[in-house]
Amino acid sequence: MLAHAIAAERIKLLTTRSAYWCSGIVVLLGLGLAILLAWATTSDSGSSSNTSESDFLVGTTAFGVTVLMIMAVLAVTSEFRFGTIRTSFQAIPQRSNVMFAKAAVYGGLSALLTFVLTVISLPLAKSISGNDLALLGSDALRLYWGVPLYTFLSVLIGLGLGALIRQTAGAIVILLVWSLVLEGVLSVIPKVGDAVGPFLPFLNGSHFIDGGDLGIDWHWNGYGSLIYYLVFAVVMFGAGVLVTDRRDT
């Protein structure tokens, strides 16, 4: 039954224009910002010494992943908006399988896309900038597998949020305000930032990808932040699955 659900979600994905638009935007952001930053930090400009491998992936990991999370939200909320979710539940009575299929299809596509962008962006940035990037160093190797994993977990958050809210506009606003504004503001408020900063999920994801402290006194290293982000993503997605199982369509 799960295999049939995955096949159905794959067909939905390939016949939905928003998926193509979102994927195209991610490619443009990922490669475009990598090229722009590489050009701005050429080895003869004197500004390359503070540029790390993760900096060249900001178009993918910061902006691109946000777009993919929005795509994940749309994958759920659009079905509730147009009523097609009822057909999906009639064909697949075990509703959790519908959500797991969305996670497999949308998460798999997003992880593959960001993996390809990572593999292309780092060598491209190195060739353009002339910076001494270690393409097979420990930091680069961590990004090759870490970026797709981080992306997959982010998509789970988007799917979970979409299932909990069910309204496209509301879910997207919450996602953008939470990930791009709220956590950044809370982390810089005196005393509040020191207390809650290490426990903010999206900042933990950024901590793992960036490798820096982001101005926060962390209680764990980057891999601890990855585990924290993984647990948060699973809880969010699990809550979405639970609500989908119990709430009327």
Side-chain angles (χ1 to χ4, degrees):
M1 187 66 71
L2 180 58
H4 295 161
I6 292 175
E9 290 301 326
R10 185 180 67 250
I11 293 172
K12 293 176 190 177
L13 174 69
L14 295 176
T15 56
T16 303
R17 285 183 292 180
S18 63
Y20 291 97
W21 277 105
C22 289
S23 298
I25 291 172
V26 173
V27 172
L28 287 176
L29 287 171
L31 295 181
L33 289 180
I35 293 171
L36 182 62
L37 182 60
W39 175 79
T41 58
T42 53
S43 56
D44 59 357
S45 67
S47 60
S48 61
S49 59
N50 295 324
T51 306
S52 65
E53 289 83 359
S54 62
D55 292 331
F56 293 106
L57 298 178
V58 66
T60 298
T61 59
F63 302 106
V65 169
T66 299
V67 174
L68 293 172
M69 291 176 70
I70 292 174
M71 182 178 72
V73 168
L74 291 173
V76 179
T77 59
S78 294
E79 288 216 56
F80 282 102
R81 177 185 177 188
F82 295 107
T84 57
I85 196 69
R86 294 187 181 92
T87 303
S88 297
F89 289 158
Q90 287 173 354
I92 306 172
Q94 192 171 359
R95 296 182 176 187
S96 59
N97 280 343
V98 175
M99 291 296 294
F100 289 135
K102 289 183 183 296
V105 172
Y106 287 89
L109 169 68
S110 300
L112 177 61
L113 181 60
T114 53
F115 170 73
V116 172
L117 287 174
T118 301
V119 170
I120 294 175
S121 295
L122 291 182
L124 183 63
K126 179 181 176 68
S127 64
I128 293 174
S129 66
N131 291 352
D132 188 23
L133 296 179
L135 298 180
L136 295 178
S138 59
D139 289 340
L141 292 176
R142 176 177 56 83
L143 292 171
Y144 292 143
W145 64 264
V147 170
L149 177 57
Y150 166 68
T151 303
F152 182 83
L153 296 177
S154 298
V155 169
L156 289 186
I157 294 173
L159 291 170
L161 185 61
L164 289 171
I165 305 299
R166 294 193 175 188
Q167 297 292 329
T168 300
I172 291 177
V173 167
I174 291 173
L175 174 65
L176 294 179
V177 171
W178 184 2
S179 62
L180 300 180
V181 180
L182 181 61
E183 291 198 3
V185 171
L186 289 176
S187 66
V188 298
I189 297 177
K191 296 184 179 180
V192 174
D194 294 335
V196 305
F199 304 102
L200 297 174
F202 290 106
L203 284 182
N204 271 276
S206 298
H207 180 218
F208 167 69
I209 292 296
D210 183 78
D213 59 18
L214 304 176
I216 295 174
D217 185 15
W218 296 98
H219 304 314
W220 41 71
N221 60 18
Y223 291 100
S225 287
L226 174 62
I227 294 173
Y228 186 91
Y229 194 64
L230 183 151
V231 172
F232 175 77
V234 170
V235 169
M236 279 290 296
F237 181 73
V241 172
L242 182 63
V243 168
T244 300
D245 271 337
R246 296 188 175 183
R247 186 188 294 173
D248 292 335
T249 56

